[in-house]
């Protein structure tokens, strides 16, 4: 068994969770915050048998969209870090960031 940790955008999560649970996959949903944007996102823990991994990854890919957003960062060329020295940058968020971990044991008591 593998533990798939998927960080997805809040806008995608309801469709994704429905698509996965409709297929019988079990999910734990955590409310999380991205370190860079400091905005809410969602982390899903999905325990999945190896033979189902490709299907789960494909469902995630279908339901998680890339989106462009703008944020501001401190201008690296500015001499001080005052707020007036911030510059806007365009970034693309998503579709999904996925960590795949081998599970030693899966126990339900
Ligand atoms: P955030 O940390 O809020 O990052 C949001 C987006 O900002 C990222 O999208 C990326 O496009 C950009 N970004 C992040 N760090 C950056 C940096 N140092 N310089 C320039 N741009 C930067 P994604 O890559 O799609 O990541 C979406 C969310 O997935 C992240 O939200 C974070 O919560 C998580 N994540 C991504 N990579 C991770 C990692 N290696 N470890 C832990 N969490 C990760």
């Amino acid at each position: 068994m593998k533990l798939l940790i998927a960080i997805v955008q809040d806008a995608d999560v309801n469709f994704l969770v429905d698509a996965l649970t409709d297929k019988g996959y079990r999910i734990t949903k955590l409310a999380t915050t991205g370190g860079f944007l400091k905005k809410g996102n969602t982390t899903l823990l999905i325990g999945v048998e190896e033979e189902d991994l490709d299907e789960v990854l494909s469902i995630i890919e279908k339901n998680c969209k890339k989106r462009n957003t703008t944020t501001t960062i401190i201008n690296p060329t500015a001499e001080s870090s005052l707020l007036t020295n911030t510059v806007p940058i365009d970034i693309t968020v998503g579709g999904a960031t996925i960590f795949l971990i081998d599970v030693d044991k899966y126990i339900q008591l």
Side-chain angles (χ1 to χ4, degrees):
M1 180 181 243
K2 300 275 188 190
L3 175 63
L4 205 145
I5 302 174
I7 304 163
V8 303
Q9 294 172 78
D10 289 345
D12 295 324
V13 79
N14 287 341
F15 294 110
L16 175 59
V17 167
D18 285 349
L20 288 167
T21 52
D22 284 353
K23 291 273 186 181
Y25 295 110
R26 295 178 176 200
I27 296 167
T28 294
K29 190 176 147 204
L30 306 172
T32 46
T33 303
F36 189 70
L37 290 179
K38 298 177 178 62
K39 286 188 182 157
N41 53 27
T42 299
T43 299
L44 300 178
L45 306 181
I46 312 166
V48 62
E49 298 300 339
E50 298 213 15
E51 62 266 26
D52 295 326
L53 197 53
D54 287 347
E55 181 177 53
V56 169
L57 289 172
S58 140
I59 293 171
I60 294 173
E61 192 175 11
K62 267 187 215 141
N63 285 278
C64 294
K65 317 249 177 310
K66 288 188 192 303
R67 292 185 182 84
N68 297 320
T69 186
T70 305
T71 190
T72 53
I73 57 163
I74 304 290
N75 183 352
T77 61
E79 283 180 13
S80 80
S81 58
L82 292 174
L83 209 56
T84 49
N85 286 328
T86 58
V87 286
I89 56 163
D90 294 323
I91 54 172
T92 303
V93 187
T97 298
I98 296 170
F99 300 91
L100 203 52
I101 296 167
D102 288 326
V103 173
D104 266 356
K105 279 186 190 165
Y106 172 56
I107 302 169
Q108 290 189 296
L109 300 176

